[in-house]
Amino acid sequence: MNQHSDALKTFFHLDKILDEMQTQGFSIIDDLYPVEYMQTLQQECSDHLDQFRKASIQDGVMTEIRSDHILWIEPDLTLASQHIAQLEHLSQDLNRYFFAGIRDIEAHFACYHAGEFYALHRDNPQQKNGRVFSTVYYLHSEWQNDWQGQLRLQDIQNQWHIIEPKANRMVLFQSDLLHEVLETKQDRLSITAWMRNSDPVLG
Ligand code: OGA
Ligand code: MN
């Protein structure tokens, strides 16, 4: 762990996160990182936009459920890897508190251009992919309320929430909750990461 990411660690307010996960199944963490770090992460994302691929094509099969573009994060994406390292700290806390058994994290950058969306879904529909908690961190420079592109999420009490994709905000939620990304009017940049408790079951 290098100095930079150690310095980032203190930005999680753990008690609030654990309490909200317990009562609602999701938690919103605003102003997650120093703005300078968010900007360098955003730069790394923008620098690789030409490598993003349509998320709708999975294993060669096309689905209509989503229209965004993604890039899976590998260690060569160093800033994004620091974000994943932070999430590893958080997952250890979640393991201690919820006995969640999280063993690894998979993540991708996502870019939604104007008109793009992700229809209602769960991130772990058949309990096969090991995803326990989902996180989405928004890294565009600003977000205005009339740009839409909100995350709409049903909590563990079946209440719906409309969450603005504010810059430097992270949303953490149980991967089995129903949610969608409403059609955006502007480019919307994020990192989605999933904390998994086992290797995916194939087939
Ligand atoms: C996802 C997802 C929500 C968002 O990537 O699976 O639901 O707000 N993202 O980007
Ligand atoms: Mn999702």
Side-chain angles (χ1 to χ4, degrees):
M1 178 74 29
N2 66 32
Q3 236 183 352
H4 191 185
S5 39
D6 263 351
L8 296 177
K9 190 181 174 198
T10 53
F11 285 81
F12 292 121
H13 298 289
L14 196 59
D15 288 347
K16 175 175 179 282
I17 295 172
L18 295 175
D19 186 54
E20 291 177 352
M21 291 308 288
Q22 179 91 51
T23 55
Q24 305 184 313
F26 80 97
S27 178
I28 297 174
I29 304 134
D30 278 333
D31 303 313
L32 180 64
Y33 292 131
V35 171
E36 308 80 61
Y37 171 76
M38 189 192 79
Q39 285 165 345
T40 53
L41 188 55
Q42 186 189 98
Q43 189 64 46
E44 185 172 75
C45 178
S46 310
D47 286 346
H48 291 84
L49 278 177
D50 59 340
Q51 294 171 29
F52 282 45
R53 296 286 172 261
K54 274 191 173 167
S56 54
I57 300 172
Q58 304 251 344
D59 304 320
V61 181
M62 177 89 183
T63 64
E64 298 291 321
I65 188 175
R66 63 192 294 188
S67 48
D68 58 315
H69 290 70
I70 60 170
L71 178 67
W72 287 96
I73 289 160
E74 303 288 346
D76 60 311
L77 295 169
T78 50
L79 279 304
S81 297
Q82 285 185 355
H83 171 62
I84 294 174
Q86 293 314 303
L87 294 180
E88 276 162 5
H89 289 296
L90 179 60
S91 69
Q92 285 161 14
D93 293 321
L94 292 166
N95 278 350
R96 268 193 293 276
Y97 196 80
F98 294 115
F99 304 101
I102 294 155
R103 297 203 310 202
D104 67 9
I105 294 182
E106 56 176 350
H108 62 54
F109 282 122
C111 177
Y112 292 73
H113 295 297
E116 297 182 344
F117 64 89
Y118 192 162
L120 209 57
H121 67 281
R122 299 176 206 272
D123 289 345
N124 188 357
Q126 285 132 16
Q127 268 89 58
K128 277 202 303 201
N129 62 22
R131 291 171 176 174
V132 181
F133 297 114
S134 305
T135 67
V136 191
Y137 173 67
Y138 303 109
L139 48 102
H140 29 250
S141 335
E142 60 159 340
W143 198 260
Q144 296 179 9
N145 287 347
D146 58 352
W147 290 354
Q148 301 176 17
Q150 299 98 334
L151 169 64
R152 191 169 159 268
L153 176 93
Q154 188 179 40
D155 71 17
I156 53 176
Q157 324 272 8
N158 297 331
Q159 298 294 312
W160 284 95
H161 302 264
I162 305 240
I163 301 165
E164 297 292 330
K166 274 181 58 178
N168 210 7
R169 164 176 279 179
M170 187 169 84
V171 187
L172 166 69
F173 56 97
Q174 287 183 199
S175 296
D176 58 359
L177 295 180
L178 261 180
H179 61 282
E180 67 183 323
V181 178
L182 303 177
E183 188 179 314
T184 180
K185 302 285 175 209
Q186 287 284 335
D187 287 359
R188 179 188 191 273
L189 299 179
S190 58
I191 298 183
T192 305
W194 294 275
M195 299 174 179
R196 299 191 302 186
N197 66 1
S198 57
D199 292 324
V201 181
L202 301 173

